[in-house]
Amino acid sequence: MTNPDTPHPLSSLMVVDFSRVLAGPFCTMTLGDLGAEIVKVERPGGDDTRAWGPPFVDDESTYYLGVNRNKRSIMLDLREAEDLRTARTLAERADVLVENFRPGTMARFGLDEPTMRRVNPALIYCSISAFGPAEGRELAGYDLLVQALGGLMSLTGSDSQTPTKVGAALVDVLAGLFATVGILAALRERDRSGCGQHVEINLLSALLSALANQSASYVLAGEIPRAVGNGHASIAPYDTYATGQGTIVLAVGNDKQFGLLCDVLGIPDLPRDSRFRTNELRVHNRALLREYLERALAPNSAKYWSRILPEFGVPAGAVNDVAEAFALAEQLGLHPIRNTEDGARRLGRQVASPINLSATPVTYRTRAPRLGEHGAAIRSWLTTLKAGRRTA
């Protein structure tokens, strides 16, 4: 187990992870990157994402590999008495428990928050559900479904008649991040009070919060936002635009930037046009504005403008694919790909955490575990564990 003297922010914490798929595993991976010891409890057959492919690397799903580094795996069938005892012992010894079963499932096994609170008062118990513990408790939740029900698809796509999902499981990731923040806040409170608490996150609320300005336009002004393609409901020009060859993104957020853009494009009088003097006017006249801009962009390629415009302080860039995005991050010195320290080659190649800490950096200790890989070691550790000693 983790050495408690290792200088990482969460190196003294033990997290028992009953979650699967994405929101919970993303949360626990983040905690693991920060040094926590993560024990991943998997049912027979393992995390659903082990089978979600292609692509696979060495017979392992890249979906699973991407969100389960820095963890140890034990396979437990909670319907079996001995395995259930092991699960309960883990929960009794844990600092943090994370689960994303349907509400009520953990109670059937005596692993629910009130039961565990009685035997482990300091436990931070995190439940992630799709629609919360009340009327939505019986509803299954997948990212696509929540994107639809939560309004995100109505905001995404070429127009309001073409609802479109985001190209990544964004709602799950957001819920995982909110769960991480909630757990860290609860740990900080435990430092003060000595008591744990229940952290509850649901995907629908996470999405509604993350809609930010779009949800605020409804809550505050009663306006229901609609899809505007790649454009922005409140900013222009803030969209994709055709050039002489290829497409460019312009993300012009204020009048000064708009003036700089027009100067570079050779249309310096446009900012003084009564239809485009302010951002509000540009939003109302966005279609006409597009005509002026694309006419000025036509003499050169997207590649040319992506190089020239930023040199003059205009936020602009090409539409990259994922490989090009990683290449850009590497070019900018961001080191977007890391290798785990356990010597794993293909399986240890990981997307870098975006968290950069100057004194206690995140770690990439181990690749994602094989199903039940550490079961014997974890059982042996629990057998020999002394009171008050959480890591070995």
Side-chain angles (χ1 to χ4, degrees):
M1 295 293 175
T2 301
N3 182 346
D5 297 325
T6 302
H8 300 297
L10 304 181
S11 58
S12 63
L13 297 177
M14 200 272 272
V15 178
V16 59
D17 179 10
F18 287 91
S19 70
R20 72 269 189 232
V21 186
L22 183 51
F26 192 90
C27 166
T28 55
M29 181 181 72
T30 303
L31 298 174
D33 290 351
L34 293 168
E37 176 71 29
I38 314 296
V39 176
K40 183 177 179 68
V41 177
E42 299 189 71
R43 65 186 181 186
D47 191 311
D48 297 9
T49 60
R50 288 182 179 275
W52 287 7
F56 293 94
V57 175
D58 295 346
D59 297 323
E60 296 276 7
S61 159
T62 57
Y63 197 124
Y64 166 78
L65 292 171
V67 291
N68 284 288
R69 65 172 174 256
N70 289 334
K71 303 178 186 180
R72 297 172 185 265
S73 171
I74 183 171
M75 186 173 66
L76 298 176
D77 186 344
L78 299 182
R79 296 166 298 183
E80 299 292 333
E82 184 176 348
D83 282 3
L84 181 56
R85 281 195 295 272
T86 299
R88 286 176 176 166
T89 302
L90 282 167
E92 290 168 5
R93 297 292 184 179
D95 294 284
V96 179
L97 183 152
V98 178
E99 60 92 10
N100 62 353
F101 291 104
R102 288 191 189 183
T105 299
M106 292 292 272
R108 293 203 298 271
F109 299 107
L111 291 166
D112 54 301
E113 191 270 340
T115 300
M116 297 316 306
R117 176 76 52 227
R118 288 194 290 270
V119 295
N120 186 356
L123 178 67
I124 308 302
Y125 192 110
C126 179
S127 298
I128 304 173
S129 65
F131 302 104
E135 285 79 359
R137 61 187 288 117
E138 297 301 325
L139 299 176
Y142 286 90
D143 187 275
L144 173 62
L145 180 61
V146 180
Q147 286 199 33
L149 294 173
L152 181 57
M153 289 178 65
S154 76
L155 305 176
T156 310
S158 57
D159 55 62
S160 60
Q161 305 305 311
T162 314
T164 305
K165 76 177 183 68
V166 178
L170 185 64
V171 180
D172 277 329
V173 172
L174 289 167
L177 290 172
F178 281 124
T180 304
V181 173
I183 289 168
L184 293 176
L187 286 168
R188 182 67 182 91
E189 166 59 18
R190 191 180 74 172
D191 289 343
R192 186 188 68 82
S193 67
C195 298
Q197 59 183 293
H198 195 182
V199 178
E200 292 187 89
I201 303 291
N202 70 81
L203 272 62
L204 180 58
S205 295
L207 173 57
L208 293 177
S209 174
L211 290 180
N213 60 297
Q214 298 284 42
S215 54
S217 71
Y218 169 69
V219 172
L220 294 172
E223 294 185 7
I224 302 175
R226 303 294 184 189
V228 291
N230 292 321
H232 194 289
S234 304
I235 309 173
Y238 198 97
D239 207 332
T240 52
Y241 297 87
T243 70
Q245 182 179 356
T247 300
I248 191 172
V249 165
L250 299 177
V252 175
N254 57 53
D255 293 341
K256 179 181 178 181
Q257 291 175 348
F258 182 61
L260 292 170
L261 169 67
C262 293
D263 286 344
V264 178
L265 295 183
I267 46 177
D269 293 333
L270 200 63
R272 293 187 288 275
D273 189 305
S274 62
R275 297 163 296 183
F276 308 124
R277 277 200 303 265
T278 67
N279 175 71
E280 183 178 1
L281 290 168
R282 293 192 292 273
V283 169
H284 287 308
N285 296 292
R286 68 170 75 235
L288 182 60
L289 178 61
R290 174 180 292 278
E291 293 180 18
Y292 279 95
L293 294 178
E294 291 190 336
R295 190 180 305 126
L297 289 164
N300 291 290
S301 68
K303 183 176 181 181
Y304 170 84
W305 291 120
S306 296
R307 178 173 56 84
I308 293 297
L309 288 170
E311 292 180 0
F312 288 87
V314 179
V319 180
N320 286 337
D321 61 25
V322 173
E324 291 166 333
F326 271 87
L328 173 62
E330 191 65 52
Q331 176 187 335
L332 297 175
L334 301 179
H335 309 296
I337 299 174
R338 305 295 175 90
N339 293 306
T340 55
E341 300 163 7
D342 56 4
R345 294 187 178 180
R346 299 178 70 193
L347 299 184
R349 188 172 165 86
Q350 294 285 303
V351 179
S353 168
I355 300 172
N356 292 291
L357 301 175
S358 61
T360 54
V362 302
T363 58
Y364 306 87
R365 302 182 301 280
T366 61
R367 56 161 174 77
R370 295 185 175 86
L371 178 58
E373 180 177 354
H374 306 96
I378 292 170
R379 287 183 173 88
S380 175
W381 170 67
L382 289 174
T383 299
T384 59
L385 193 62
K386 295 180 180 179
R389 183 182 173 206
R390 293 176 183 259
T391 56

